[in-house]
Amino acid sequence: MQTHNLGYPRIGSQRELKKALEQYWSGKIMLEQLVETGKSIRQQNWQLQKEAGVDLIPCNDFSYYDLVLDCSLMFGAIPERYHHLMQQKYCTEIDLLFAMARGCQREGYDITAMEMTKWFDTNYHYIVPEFTANQQFSLYSNKIVDEFLEAKNAGFNAKPVLLGPISYLLLGKEKEAGFHRISLIKKLLPVYIEILKKLSDNHAKYIQFDEPCLVLNLNEEERQTVFKTYQQINKQFPNLHIILAGYFESYGQNLPTVLSLPVQTIHLDLVRCPQQLDAVLNTDFVLKKTNLSLGLVDGRNIWKNDFQQSFILINKAVQKLGSSRIWIAPSCSLMHSPCDLNLETNDGILVPEIKQWLSFSKQKVEEVVTLRKLVMDSSSASVQLQLKENIAANESRKTAAIIHNKKVKDRVAAITQKDAQRKSNYTARKIKQYQALRLPMFPTTTIGSFPQTAEVRTWRAKLKKGVLTNVEYDRLIAKETAEAIRWQEEIGIDVLVHGEFERNDMVEYFGEQLAGIGFSKNGWVQSYGSRCVKPPIIYGDISRAEPMTLKWTAYAQSLTKRWVKGMLTGPVTILQWSFVRNDQPRSETCNQLALAIRDEVVDLENAGIKIIQIDEPAIREGLPLRKENWEAYLQWAVNAFRISASGVKDDTQIHTHMCYSAFNDIMQHIAAMDADVITIECSRSQMQLLDAFAAFRYPNEIGPGVYDIHSPRVPSTAEMVALLQKAQAVIPANQLWVNPDCGLKTRHWEETKKALHAMVDAAKEMRLLMQQTKIL
C-alpha cells in the first residue's frame, strides 16, 4: 500500500513566492533571485513530504503563475500577438510567461493578456489556452524535465505531474469558428510523447496525468478520444507507470471509459463522491491489475479527516483488491489548502477551540501517511494514540456550544417565498429608480475597491499591534476616503465608491464581523498569480450583531452630492470563498449568510444609500460539475441572493458583480436573481461574454468591464470606446453601464488614475456619438 500526494501549495508557508513575484515585477529584485526563491520553495515542499513518509512526491506542481499557462508555454501554444516579444533578448521564458498572464506595455509593445477564468468550482483562476483552427504545437519549455531532475538529484522519489492532453484542450478556447478544440489532439499528442520520452530517458518511473475534465459531462466522441489518446501513450511507453487523476466529482457516465484505459493507477476523489468506490468495486475492475488511488483526505477544506470513516472505505477496497493495489492520497492537489496549521500560534486570531478540528496541507500529508499505518500497522501504540485523538477531536466538534445558535436556526426555518421577492417587478422599479437617481446614459462607476497602498496596509497592521488607536486609525481612513471621493468627483465618475480602505479582503472583512466565522493568521491560499487570499472558516451558525459597512459608506455619502454605492459581498460568494463547515447542508449555511446581508442592506437604505452592490462573483463557480446537479444548486443559491436583496424599496437600485464566467447555460438563473444592474468581467474576452445576455434578451442593466484590472496595462480611451461599441451592438445603449472589470485593490494609483480617466472619457465619447446619431 503506497502513499502519494497530488500536489502541494506553491506559494510558500510565508507567501515567499508572492513577495518575490511582486518585487520582480516592480524591478526590485533580479530574475536570478526570483528563480532562487522558487527553488527554495520546491526543496522545502519536497523535504516536508519526504519527512512525513510520503512514498511518491509530486514535482512540476510548482508554477511561477499558473500550471495551465505553463502547459501552453511548454507546448508552444503561444498566441501570435506575443511572437515579436519572444524575439527580444530581454524576454526570458519566465518573462514571456508573465506577459501572457498579465499583458505587456514596454518599449513600444502594448499586448493584452490572455483570458483568465475559474478552475472548475474553486476560487483559483487559470489562464485559458487560446486555439486556432491551424494551431501548431511544439516543445518550447523543458520545465517539467528540469524540475524532475532537480528533485531526483536532490534525492527525492519524485513523480512528475502534468495536466493531461484531454483536459488541456477542453479547458481552452477556440479563437475562431469552424472547429472544435478536441480535434487538435492529433497535433498535440506528439508533444506529449516527446515530453514523456525525455522523462523516460531520464529514468522517470511514474507520471501523474491530471484529467479533471473526466468528471464533466463528456459526449461519446470525447470519450472515444480519451480512450484512443491513452492507448497511444501506453503503446509508446508500456513500462511507464501512468497515474490518472480525476477529482472534484465522480467520473459518472465516463467511468466505463476510465476503467478501460491502459493506465496503471486510477485516482478517485472519495471526499466529493465516496459512493463511486462501490461503483468501481462492483465492476470487472477487480479482475484487473490496475491500482486504485483513494482520495480520502480533503484537499479543498480544512477539517480534520475522520479516520474511522476513511478506514471503512479503505477496508472495503482492500477486501476486494488486496492491500497491494491500494494507494492512499488526498482527494486533489493540496494547493487549495493553507500550508501549515503549526503556524497558527497563540498570538493569532484563530478561535482557539476550533484549532483542534483543523488540518492544513502539512497536516493532511501526515494524515495520508497515518491512514496507511492504520491499515498496515494498526497494533502500533503510536498509531492507536493518533486514532484515539482523532476520534476525540471529531466527537467534540459535534457537541461544541460555539457551533449552534437556536435563534439563527429558527430565523432560517421561518423564511418564506415573500422574503425573496422585491415589491415590484423590474419594469416598474426601473422607472422609479430613474426618477430617483437621474443618471446619464452610459453611467460610469467602479466595482468597489481602490488601490490599497503599502501605507494603507501599514495602518491596519499598526492598529492590530496597538501602535495606532482606533481614533487615530479612523482619522487616517477618513482622510483617504475623502480624497478618493474628491478625486472621483473631479474626473466625473457618476456613481462613486468610498474605496474600501478599511477592508482587508472582500470576504474576510465581513467574516470578521459575523458570529460563527473564524480566521487564521497564516491560512493563505493562491487565487491567481501573486494574489493570495485568507478564506474565513465557517465553523458555526452565522449572525450579524451590528452594521458592518454603514459607518464608512454613510461618511462617504456625506461628503458628496453624487450617489455613493454601498458595497457588500453576497451570501453565495462568502460561502464559496470560505472554508465551510461540513456538518450541515451548504444551502442552510448560505441562508444564514443571506439573512445577515439582508439586515445590512436594509440598514444602508435607511441611512440614505440608494445604490447598493451585492457582489456575487462566485455564483457561477459554485455550480456542481455535473449538469444533472445544477438545478438544485441554482435554486437555493439564487434564492439566497434574492433574500439578501429583497428587503428594500423599489427606488433603491441593487447591483451585483460577477467575475470571469461562462453565462450561456445559466442565463435564466442570472435573470432570476433580479438585480437591477449586473456588472461582469468582459475585457479579456473582447465582450464575447455579452453574447449570452444578448441571445437571452436580458432585460436589466449591464456593466460590461471595459478594462482588465488583473493586468498593469493601461488601455486607451479609443480601445474602451471600441469595446463599448461592441457591447452596444448587442445590448441596447440604455441598458449599458461603464466600469472596470473588477475591484482595483491590487492595482497601483498611477495606472488606476490613468485608466479611469480614459474610462470616463470613453463614456463621454459614447454619449456624444449617441447625440450625433440622433441628430443624423
Side-chain angles (χ1 to χ4, degrees):
M1 184 177 291
Q2 288 210 83
T3 57
H4 72 126
N5 183 23
L6 274 63
Y8 202 79
R10 52 184 178 254
I11 59 175
S13 60
Q14 300 291 340
R15 291 182 295 159
E16 294 91 339
L17 182 61
K18 168 191 172 64
K19 296 166 187 175
L21 284 170
E22 292 175 355
Q23 286 178 318
Y24 178 67
W25 292 335
S26 62
K28 294 178 181 177
I29 65 171
M30 301 297 290
L31 179 60
E32 292 76 15
Q33 293 167 281
L34 173 62
V35 170
E36 187 58 37
T37 298
K39 182 177 181 181
S40 175
I41 292 171
R42 291 193 296 273
Q43 294 283 338
Q44 290 174 26
N45 289 351
W46 295 333
Q47 185 64 34
L48 178 152
Q49 293 171 81
K50 181 178 181 180
E51 290 176 358
V54 175
D55 295 316
L56 280 176
I57 297 171
C59 64
N60 196 49
D61 55 339
F62 175 85
S63 175
Y64 287 102
Y65 204 97
D66 167 53
L67 285 170
V68 183
L69 179 61
D70 287 350
C71 286
S72 292
L73 194 69
M74 188 189 315
F75 306 147
I78 302 165
E80 188 177 353
R81 61 186 180 277
Y82 302 102
H83 288 185
H84 286 296
L85 189 63
M86 293 165 63
Q87 299 168 10
Q88 303 304 313
K89 292 181 179 179
Y90 60 77
C91 186
T92 66
E93 187 174 296
I94 290 179
D95 290 316
L96 178 58
L97 185 88
F98 294 151
M100 293 164 71
R102 307 174 74 236
C104 180
Q105 277 185 324
R106 60 175 292 182
E107 299 180 14
Y109 289 103
D110 187 3
I111 310 173
T112 58
M114 294 173 69
E115 190 174 341
M116 182 165 68
T117 197
K118 296 294 178 73
W119 176 251
F120 294 86
D121 57 350
T122 76
N123 188 29
Y124 176 74
H125 302 67
Y126 75 93
I127 303 297
V128 181
E130 298 179 10
F131 302 130
T132 60
N134 65 345
Q135 182 71 50
Q136 301 299 312
F137 299 99
S138 61
L139 186 60
Y140 184 84
S141 168
N142 279 308
K143 174 182 176 292
I144 187 171
V145 179
D146 294 340
E147 291 188 11
F148 168 69
L149 290 174
E150 180 186 335
K152 179 186 173 187
N153 294 336
F156 298 104
N157 187 24
K159 57 160 183 177
V161 176
L162 181 60
L163 183 63
I166 304 301
S167 293
Y168 174 71
L169 290 176
L170 291 179
L171 289 168
K173 189 172 185 179
E174 298 91 345
K175 300 303 288 186
E176 57 189 24
F179 78 106
H180 191 283
R181 54 197 181 279
I182 199 70
S183 66
L184 299 174
I185 189 67
K186 292 180 181 179
K187 294 181 178 180
L188 177 62
L189 190 54
V191 183
Y192 271 85
I193 298 297
E194 186 177 355
I195 292 167
L196 293 177
K197 186 175 188 310
K198 284 176 174 283
L199 289 168
S200 181
D201 288 347
N202 283 285
H203 308 293
K205 297 179 181 178
Y206 300 86
I207 185 162
Q208 175 184 313
F209 277 118
D210 280 359
E211 288 282 15
C213 284
L214 291 182
V215 307
L216 303 180
N217 297 91
L218 302 185
N219 59 40
E220 184 57 32
E221 180 183 353
E222 289 165 338
R223 286 195 285 269
Q224 285 296 319
T225 303
V226 172
F227 181 75
K228 292 175 183 177
T229 297
Y230 280 91
Q231 266 195 327
Q232 291 184 56
I233 290 174
N234 179 66
K235 184 178 179 180
Q236 293 278 345
F237 301 97
N239 298 320
L240 190 61
H241 189 118
I242 303 294
I243 304 160
L244 186 79
Y247 36 78
F248 301 154
E249 243 297 353
S250 70
Y251 291 109
Q253 67 264 45
N254 304 322
L255 183 61
T257 300
V258 170
L259 296 182
S260 70
L261 297 178
V263 298
Q264 285 66 44
T265 298
I266 294 173
H267 176 78
L268 305 179
D269 183 341
L270 297 181
V271 173
R272 279 293 183 93
C273 193
Q275 60 269 31
Q276 70 175 322
L277 179 60
D278 286 333
V280 172
L281 296 179
N282 290 330
T283 68
D284 62 359
F285 177 83
V286 297
L287 304 176
K288 300 180 180 180
K289 296 181 179 180
T290 311
N291 301 318
L292 206 56
S293 167
L294 308 183
L296 295 163
V297 174
D298 196 342
R300 289 186 49 178
N301 213 331
I302 42 72
W303 305 107
K304 258 184 183 170
N305 184 263
D306 186 330
F307 285 170
Q308 288 180 305
Q309 289 299 314
S310 292
F311 181 78
I312 291 171
L313 294 173
I314 296 171
N315 192 48
K316 182 184 292 185
V318 168
Q319 287 180 357
K320 286 272 191 173
L321 304 178
S323 60
S324 63
R325 288 176 61 188
I326 301 302
W327 292 19
I328 309 297
S331 60
C332 61
S333 169
L334 297 176
M335 65 172 286
H336 307 289
S337 176
C339 289
D340 187 0
L341 187 62
N342 294 331
L343 297 176
E344 303 303 320
T345 54
N346 292 333
D347 63 340
I349 56 175
L350 189 65
V351 179
E353 189 172 350
I354 74 171
K355 185 176 179 180
Q356 63 175 315
W357 305 327
L358 305 183
S359 174
F360 290 1
S361 290
K362 183 176 185 293
Q363 289 69 43
K364 290 178 184 297
V365 166
E366 293 165 355
E367 286 179 334
V368 165
V369 175
T370 301
L371 285 172
R372 178 190 178 278
K373 291 178 180 177
L374 281 171
V375 179
M376 305 303 291
D377 192 19
S378 59
S379 61
S380 164
S382 63
V383 172
Q384 284 300 312
L385 178 61
Q386 287 175 297
L387 176 60
K388 184 178 179 180
E389 291 174 345
N390 180 270
I391 293 172
N394 281 303
E395 285 299 315
S396 72
R397 184 175 163 219
K398 294 177 183 177
T399 55
I402 66 169
I403 289 179
H404 304 288
N405 184 323
K406 186 176 184 302
K407 288 184 178 179
V408 173
K409 294 181 189 298
D410 288 347
R411 191 180 178 197
V412 170
I415 291 173
T416 66
Q417 192 56 43
K418 187 177 178 181
D419 294 315
Q421 292 176 344
R422 296 286 294 272
K423 292 180 176 63
S424 304
N425 62 28
Y426 172 70
T427 303
R429 296 198 310 265
K430 182 173 183 176
I431 295 170
K432 293 180 181 180
Q433 289 166 17
Y434 176 77
Q435 292 169 343
L437 302 175
R438 294 294 177 182
L439 295 171
M441 291 283 286
F442 301 103
T444 55
T445 190
T446 62
I447 302 304
S449 60
F450 276 144
Q452 289 222 351
T453 62
E455 185 180 25
V456 170
R457 294 194 300 272
T458 299
W459 299 340
R460 194 156 50 242
K462 288 181 178 179
L463 177 67
K464 288 183 178 180
K465 293 176 182 177
V467 177
L468 283 178
T469 66
N470 285 325
V471 172
E472 291 169 329
Y473 176 75
D474 283 356
R475 190 181 300 123
L476 291 168
I477 295 296
K479 180 175 180 291
E480 196 78 6
T481 302
E483 289 177 359
I485 292 293
R486 281 195 297 271
W487 181 76
Q488 291 173 86
E489 288 180 319
E490 287 173 7
I491 69 167
I493 291 179
D494 299 303
V495 175
L496 315 186
V497 296
H498 77 284
E500 303 181 16
F501 302 108
E502 79 286 4
R503 303 186 190 183
N504 43 15
D505 174 82
M506 67 179 288
V507 173
E508 185 175 356
Y509 179 77
F510 291 91
E512 287 175 344
Q513 300 180 76
L514 293 169
I517 300 181
F519 283 87
S520 62
K521 187 177 182 181
N522 295 288
W524 298 97
V525 294
Q526 186 182 26
S527 178
Y528 65 87
S530 68
R531 169 75 169 148
C532 298
V533 294
K534 188 149 54 74
I537 299 169
I538 300 178
Y539 62 84
D541 291 331
I542 298 162
S543 61
R544 186 198 76 142
E546 58 186 12
M548 301 178 286
T549 67
L550 183 59
K551 174 181 174 180
W552 292 112
T553 307
Y555 170 70
Q557 185 64 79
S558 74
L559 300 174
T560 179
K561 293 182 179 180
R562 299 194 180 202
W563 298 111
V564 174
K565 270 194 298 189
M567 299 301 307
L568 306 175
T569 303
V572 181
T573 295
I574 295 177
L575 182 86
Q576 188 67 19
W577 291 359
S578 298
F579 293 122
V580 183
R581 58 190 294 189
N582 57 3
D583 61 340
Q584 71 176 16
R586 289 171 71 88
S587 58
E588 181 82 4
T589 304
C590 199
N591 279 339
Q592 293 178 359
L593 286 163
L595 290 172
I597 299 301
R598 180 190 180 94
D599 293 343
E600 189 73 14
V601 170
V602 171
D603 280 344
L604 287 169
E605 183 188 52
N606 289 338
I609 306 302
K610 301 298 293 180
I611 303 176
I612 302 169
Q613 182 170 309
I614 307 172
D615 285 343
E616 283 292 15
I619 202 162
R620 176 63 170 79
E621 78 187 43
L623 274 176
L625 298 181
R626 305 197 65 78
K627 290 185 177 180
E628 57 266 30
N629 301 322
W630 282 15
E631 190 62 31
Y633 160 78
L634 286 166
Q635 283 189 3
W636 65 254
V638 169
N639 199 60
F641 175 83
R642 291 179 63 124
I643 290 169
S644 72
S646 294
V648 296
K649 299 172 185 175
D650 286 346
D651 61 356
T652 294
Q653 192 174 70
I654 296 293
H655 290 222
T656 192
H657 171 70
M658 294 188 179
C659 288
Y660 292 110
S661 294
F663 300 110
N664 306 56
D665 40 15
I666 61 167
M667 274 309 307
Q668 69 182 80
H669 298 283
I670 300 294
M673 291 172 69
D674 200 27
D676 299 305
V677 180
I678 181 172
T679 54
I680 58 175
E681 297 187 81
C682 268
S683 63
R684 286 199 182 194
S685 71
Q686 292 292 298
M687 295 290 164
Q688 288 180 7
L689 290 179
L690 282 182
D691 292 344
F693 289 84
F696 184 78
R697 296 185 180 274
Y698 186 76
N700 302 18
E701 296 178 28
I702 307 173
V706 294
Y707 82 88
D708 175 21
I709 68 89
H710 298 95
S711 166
R713 178 180 172 274
V714 177
S716 66
T717 297
E719 186 177 330
M720 294 192 208
V721 168
L723 287 175
L724 285 168
Q725 288 175 327
K726 285 185 178 181
Q728 191 181 351
V730 293
I731 302 292
N734 63 359
Q735 288 181 239
L736 288 173
W737 282 62
V738 181
N739 45 264
D741 259 345
C742 201
L744 298 160
K745 175 186 174 183
T746 60
R747 302 270 50 97
H748 297 292
W749 268 115
E750 181 182 4
E751 69 201 49
T752 295
K753 288 185 174 182
K754 289 179 181 178
L756 289 182
H757 267 292
M759 186 190 81
V760 172
D761 288 343
K764 290 177 180 177
E765 189 168 331
M766 290 299 293
R767 291 169 196 155
L768 183 60
L769 289 170
M770 284 291 292
Q771 291 174 358
Q772 292 172 348
T773 301
K774 287 180 181 179
I775 292 171
L776 292 173

